[in-house]
Amino acid sequence: MNFNCFNQPLTEEKIMKMMNLVYPMTLALAVTLAATGCRNHRPYGVTPIPNGRGGQVGDVGAGNTLSSSQMAGGGPQTDINSFDNMTQDRAALANYTIHFAFDSSTIRHSEDANLQSVASALNSDRSTKLIIEGNCDERGTEEYNRSLGDRRALAAREALAKLGVDPARVRTMSYGKDKPVDPGHNESAWSQNRRDDFVLLHPKTGA
Amino acid sequence: MKNCITICLSVLFAVLAAALCRGQSEQGEIQITRPVSELGNTKPVPVSIEGFGPEVTDILKFDLYVQGFTFVAPDAAQYQISGSSADSVVGRVVDRFAKRTILSRSYNGAALRRQAHAFSDDVVLAITGKKGIAQTRIAFKVQAASGNGEIHVADFDGHNYQAVTHDGTIVSAPSWVPGRAALYYNSYKLNNPDIFYHNLNTGERHVIAHYSGSNISPAASPDGSRVAMIMSRSGSPNVWVANADGSNPRKLTSTSEDSSPCWSPDGQWICFATKMHERRVLAKVPADGGEVQVIRTPGTPNPTEPDWSPDGKWIAFTMQAGEFDICVMPADGSASPVILVRGEDPSWSANSRTLIYAQRTGGHYVLSLLDVYTKQVKDIHQISGSDSEPAWAK
């Protein structure tokens, strides 16, 4: 109900108009009071609750496949999709995983040799591409770790660029703390989990 | 005689209208100042609950406990809540000090659980004048040991839960569009961390950000017309703002390692966590672009995951000093943060009193509710797996 009208002065005409509303309301109130016996421990209002759950979720059915045509916002800025039709080779560079200090995305000198090996693999076969997967230990909040993992992957991409790898051939992915290699809750596990994994991509045969 | 009655009634009506108008303007201004010293230190309101069956009694106690009430014998109660729940919920509230009934109502239709929640909302409104939280909804992620998970929605107490996604991939950070049955969230379904918009009524969804690098941590603006998010397409994870459908993305920050953006309720500011001079801080930036300002959080190191209260007064966040703690500070920075309880990733209720947050127990998370004034805490009904990243519908 809107009471803004009462900010204006009450003319007799307006009062009479209101009374036209008040009489039926008063009558209704009187009838209600009579019906309920006007005893204050009886409920004076019945609130119907609609059946079914509140906020029922629509079915995510089979028709809900996502395609790039459904993507708003002009679609991908980079040629991110060019990485999709390639074969992932997780074994090729598995020995060159690099590790980080706690809460840091700075690449330590101890990791230089591994990065050099990754760069050599990429530089020796120009048809390949690379995914760098940034990961964190569990000591950090979830979305913070997703950004930290992102920084770790991006730091490796920058380092590889200095070693001659075109950044356009490199895609970064952060998994935050969702993909630990060691599920333990101690420093030995955490130090293994703070890492960048390198995944080599080959063109699909026949492509 | 008729004139006399008319005048009497019009006077009565005018007085009533004036009282109603005054009540409205007081609510509109929101000038009820709650000093920081009340955070975590407020005494709960003693009430008694009598006459209801065990299910309804449990529901009422749960609902009221996380909104600052405690349960005592009727002769020690400030408010006596009584009624029955044989076929449907019938309840009333007596203000023992004022010696009068302030609520008397019955409910029909739907399940007893829903009737009980409706009654508890009426109890909270009658006693505090504020809207209760018992008929609100939450979204969160449920994660398996594999790291994969699904976005779920549920009643605020964890009951009536339902999976929103069935993708078997990594998901994170659901965020409600205010006033709508719609979520944004991050999913790796397309082999990249992308942001999805999901209409919960129709099940229809769209990818609104699928750029190289991360597209994560979405947050709908208070009017739903824009979305803030973290994207790293320009080489570093930064705060971006786009239209609700992802169009016209605009980079707002050049800080390093930004995360968890949230909006001020007036839509003017975006608060987020970042790193400056190798230290984690909270900061805010005008939503239309401008200078990044650090929000000082003295005594609470490594702040992340800010959430601005809907009434504009508070910012809740997670601090990390070995363990994780939920903190609340005045949004205007007029006082230092108050450390409340162990936990992470707080999200405010619509009435700016209760927080839902995640707690680590062993290797997984459980969700809990916290009344920030009394510091009363209850775990919500848990689903299997690890439940985290809660978002409270506004």
Side-chain angles (χ1 to χ4, degrees):
Chain A
M1 196 182 273
N2 183 0
F3 288 98
N4 284 344
C5 57
F6 298 113
N7 293 333
Q8 297 162 10
L10 289 170
T11 63
E12 196 169 331
E13 189 195 358
K14 278 183 181 164
I15 290 172
M16 288 317 291
K17 271 187 185 166
M18 278 193 290
M19 295 326 293
N20 288 340
L21 286 173
V22 171
Y23 283 132
M25 281 164 72
T26 315
L27 188 65
L29 182 66
V31 169
T32 312
L33 287 175
T36 56
C38 207
R39 290 161 63 182
N40 73 356
H41 67 266
R42 285 280 177 82
Y44 50 73
V46 178
T47 305
I49 313 293
N51 274 305
R53 277 185 219 155
Q56 183 92 19
V57 172
D59 186 34
V60 184
N64 204 344
T65 337
L66 292 150
S67 68
S68 51
S69 64
Q70 283 179 290
M71 289 171 197
Q77 173 216 28
T78 64
D79 54 347
I80 176 171
N81 294 331
S82 72
F83 291 79
D84 286 345
N85 292 320
M86 299 187 77
T87 307
Q88 289 199 4
D89 183 351
R90 297 196 70 90
L93 306 173
N95 289 334
Y96 307 130
T97 291
I98 61 172
H99 296 92
F100 293 84
F102 170 65
D103 198 21
S104 167
S105 57
T106 305
I107 294 174
R108 296 178 288 196
H109 288 305
S110 53
E111 311 297 335
D112 286 352
N114 280 353
L115 279 172
Q116 188 60 61
S117 301
V118 173
S120 301
L122 268 286
N123 291 337
S124 67
D125 182 351
R126 299 277 164 183
S127 71
T128 57
K129 292 186 177 183
L130 180 71
I131 296 178
I132 309 175
E133 297 177 345
N135 292 274
C136 304
D137 68 28
E138 63 180 354
R139 290 175 302 162
T141 50
E142 291 191 68
E143 293 305 290
Y144 174 80
N145 274 343
R146 228 170 277 285
S147 285
L148 176 60
D150 202 11
R151 278 295 312 146
R152 284 177 174 160
L154 289 161
R157 187 171 74 168
E158 288 161 26
L160 289 172
K162 287 177 187 156
L163 298 171
V165 179
D166 180 359
R169 294 171 65 199
V170 181
R171 180 174 158 187
T172 55
M173 284 270 279
S174 173
Y175 285 108
K177 57 177 171 180
D178 288 335
K179 293 214 165 176
V181 283
D182 185 335
H185 308 294
N186 50 56
E187 179 51 39
S188 144
W190 295 329
S191 63
Q192 288 305 301
N193 294 336
R194 297 187 296 262
R195 72 195 194 279
D196 279 346
D197 288 330
F198 299 100
V199 182
L200 195 62
L201 299 175
H202 297 289
K204 276 193 176 149
T205 3
Chain B
M1 182 62 187
K2 193 186 169 191
N3 271 350
C4 181
I5 293 173
T6 308
I7 290 164
C8 284
L9 274 175
S10 26
V11 168
L12 181 69
F13 202 64
V15 168
L16 273 173
L20 277 168
C21 284
R22 205 185 50 175
Q24 275 195 333
S25 77
E26 273 175 3
Q27 270 188 348
E29 284 163 19
I30 316 177
Q31 284 300 334
I32 311 144
T33 321
R34 295 200 86 128
V36 174
S37 59
E38 288 187 15
L39 286 176
N41 288 320
T42 304
K43 287 240 175 343
V45 177
V47 299
S48 59
I49 296 185
E50 281 187 308
F52 304 99
E55 183 194 3
V56 169
T57 302
D58 285 351
I59 293 166
L60 291 176
K61 282 190 168 175
F62 182 97
D63 291 359
L64 295 174
Y65 187 79
V66 296
Q67 297 181 85
F69 294 86
T70 189
F71 310 105
V72 296
D75 57 0
Q78 191 174 342
Y79 298 94
Q80 294 167 328
I81 302 166
S82 60
S84 60
S85 57
D87 300 316
S88 59
V89 172
V90 179
R92 68 170 177 153
V93 178
V94 173
D95 181 336
R96 231 184 94 237
F97 297 161
K99 293 189 169 49
R100 66 187 184 90
T101 302
I102 59 170
L103 174 70
S104 176
R105 195 158 290 178
S106 71
Y107 302 80
N108 64 21
L112 271 188
R113 164 166 289 278
R114 295 199 55 210
Q115 293 183 19
H117 283 318
F119 177 55
S120 92
D121 271 354
D122 287 336
V123 170
V124 169
L125 185 64
I127 294 178
T128 69
K130 280 196 165 188
K131 207 171 171 198
I133 57 176
Q135 298 176 92
T136 56
R137 304 273 285 169
I138 53 168
F140 51 98
K141 79 168 192 186
V142 178
Q143 192 170 28
S146 66
N148 290 343
E150 307 293 353
I151 302 292
H152 281 63
V153 293
D155 293 347
F156 90 108
D157 58 3
H159 287 270
N160 289 325
Y161 63 86
Q162 198 177 356
V164 169
T165 60
H166 305 87
D167 295 327
T169 186
I170 294 173
V171 290
S172 76
S175 163
W176 291 90
V177 181
R180 278 180 235 169
L183 295 174
Y184 289 101
Y185 53 80
N186 162 30
S187 169
Y188 287 57
K189 181 178 168 62
L190 303 178
N191 300 314
N192 193 63
D194 302 317
I195 295 175
F196 289 55
Y197 172 88
H198 193 133
N199 180 327
L200 298 180
N201 288 328
T202 63
E204 202 181 329
R205 58 181 179 166
H206 303 280
V207 179
I208 65 126
H210 173 68
Y211 300 98
S212 180
S214 290
N215 308 269
I216 56 172
S217 306
S221 65
D223 67 359
S225 69
R226 289 185 286 177
V227 57
M229 55 200 158
I230 301 295
M231 296 201 286
S232 61
R233 51 189 278 201
S234 66
S236 147
N238 287 117
V239 177
W240 292 64
V241 168
N243 294 337
D245 65 356
S247 62
N248 197 23
R250 184 176 174 202
K251 186 163 161 283
L252 289 189
T253 64
S254 305
T255 29
S256 66
E257 253 173 65
D258 298 343
S259 62
S260 297
C262 70
W263 293 77
S264 64
D266 62 7
Q268 298 295 304
W269 294 93
I270 291 166
C271 177
F272 59 103
T274 187
K275 235 178 194 176
M276 284 185 186
H277 313 295
E278 288 306 303
R279 291 186 63 191
R280 292 189 228 168
V281 293
L282 296 185
K284 62 178 181 178
V285 63
D288 295 326
E291 199 183 327
V292 171
Q293 298 175 23
V294 172
I295 297 174
R296 294 188 62 248
T297 58
T300 54
N302 300 317
T304 57
E305 302 176 332
D307 193 43
W308 209 311
S309 66
D311 66 7
K313 286 188 281 190
W314 307 109
I315 292 174
F317 61 94
T318 309
M319 76 161 227
Q320 186 182 356
E323 300 292 325
F324 302 91
D325 295 283
I326 303 292
C327 305
V328 174
M329 69 179 291
D332 61 8
S334 59
S336 294
V338 175
I339 303 168
L340 290 171
V341 293
R342 285 260 184 278
E344 292 169 55
D345 209 355
S347 174
W348 286 101
S349 61
N351 70 8
S352 302
R353 167 149 196 158
T354 307
L355 289 169
I356 187 160
Y357 65 99
Q359 275 192 83
R360 291 180 198 224
T361 59
H364 68 289
Y365 287 105
V366 298
L367 294 177
S368 306
L369 296 161
L370 162 69
D371 171 43
V372 298
Y373 291 113
T374 60
K375 233 155 76 168
Q376 294 189 149
V377 162
K378 275 251 189 259
D379 294 348
I380 72 164
H381 178 72
Q382 303 294 323
I383 307 172
S384 63
S386 183
D387 305 350
S388 67
E389 303 207 299
W392 210 321
K394 312 279 194 291

